[in-house]
Amino acid sequence: LSVLGRTVDLDASGFPLSIRSRFTPEVTSVAGPPRELLAAAMALVVEGLEDARLPWTHDGARVTRQAEGAAEWQATSRAGVLTAAVHGRIEFDGTIEYEVALKADAAVDLHDVRLEMPLRPDVARYAMGLGWKGGARPDRLEWTCDVAKKNQDAIWVGDVSAGVQVTLKDDRYE
């Protein structure tokens, strides 16, 4: 998938395998050399009670809609009694929205469910959000959702000419 100054390659799960930016350091042109943002593919990780990752099988990502300035895709993955239905949409400005529905066909005890986005250290130089005021990226940022607080649902991590923002939304997001 290509949009202004960015290219995104999807893997079979529907999540990015690669995200490349071609913005120059001055952010005045998209004619720079491709710069990879990810150190490894993004992944939906589910751990059982033994902290072992459940292995996914993927049906593969398929584009379901292409329009001027946007594209959408879907993918389905399975791990035991779990099914993850992924719907993604990329906009002309590089915004990617994901909706992930995780369903269990039977009762299952899980230790953790998370989305991993391993960023390259040379890209992940600065951060702000989730309670962090901004500046050099901390080695570790611990965050717990507090619904009473406002504007604590997103984090940006990046460098001057490349980065990602993650905004967490539920079905009642405003």
Side-chain angles (χ1 to χ4, degrees):
L1 306 167
S2 295
V3 295
L4 179 65
R6 303 163 191 93
T7 304
V8 178
D9 295 330
L10 302 175
D11 72 5
S13 70
F15 290 109
L17 172 66
S18 172
I19 302 173
R20 293 174 307 282
S21 172
R22 293 184 60 94
F23 283 92
T24 59
E26 302 81 19
V27 195
T28 56
S29 170
V30 293
R35 184 173 181 200
E36 179 61 51
L37 279 70
L38 297 179
M42 285 179 58
L44 180 64
V45 175
V46 178
E47 292 178 350
L49 291 181
E50 304 296 317
D51 293 347
R53 290 181 180 217
L54 302 181
W56 290 105
T57 58
H58 309 290
D59 290 348
R62 63 189 181 290
V63 175
T64 57
R65 183 172 173 260
Q66 278 185 282
E68 187 76 24
E72 296 182 34
W73 62 93
Q74 293 181 337
T76 303
S77 301
R78 290 174 188 74
V81 299
L82 298 175
T83 302
V86 173
H87 174 260
R89 176 181 173 88
I90 190 169
E91 298 280 343
F92 70 94
D93 62 358
T95 298
I96 301 176
E97 295 262 345
Y98 275 100
E99 183 176 311
V100 180
L102 186 60
K103 177 184 167 199
D105 293 329
V108 61
D109 290 323
L110 300 174
H111 172 72
D112 194 20
V113 176
R114 65 184 177 273
L115 182 64
E116 292 184 350
M117 183 187 312
L119 297 174
R120 292 173 47 100
D122 63 307
V123 171
R125 292 180 52 200
Y126 306 107
M128 62 187 250
L130 297 182
W132 177 253
K133 298 290 183 192
R137 178 188 48 83
D139 289 336
R140 183 175 180 88
L141 175 64
E142 299 223 8
W143 173 79
T144 302
C145 182
D146 181 351
V147 294
K149 292 182 179 178
K150 302 287 185 196
N151 303 319
Q152 52 117 25
D153 57 1
I155 188 166
W156 173 87
V157 180
D159 195 4
V160 174
S161 61
V164 296
Q165 177 176 320
V166 176
T167 302
L168 306 169
K169 301 178 181 181
D170 65 6
D171 56 349
R172 295 178 305 273
Y173 184 82
E174 292 182 26

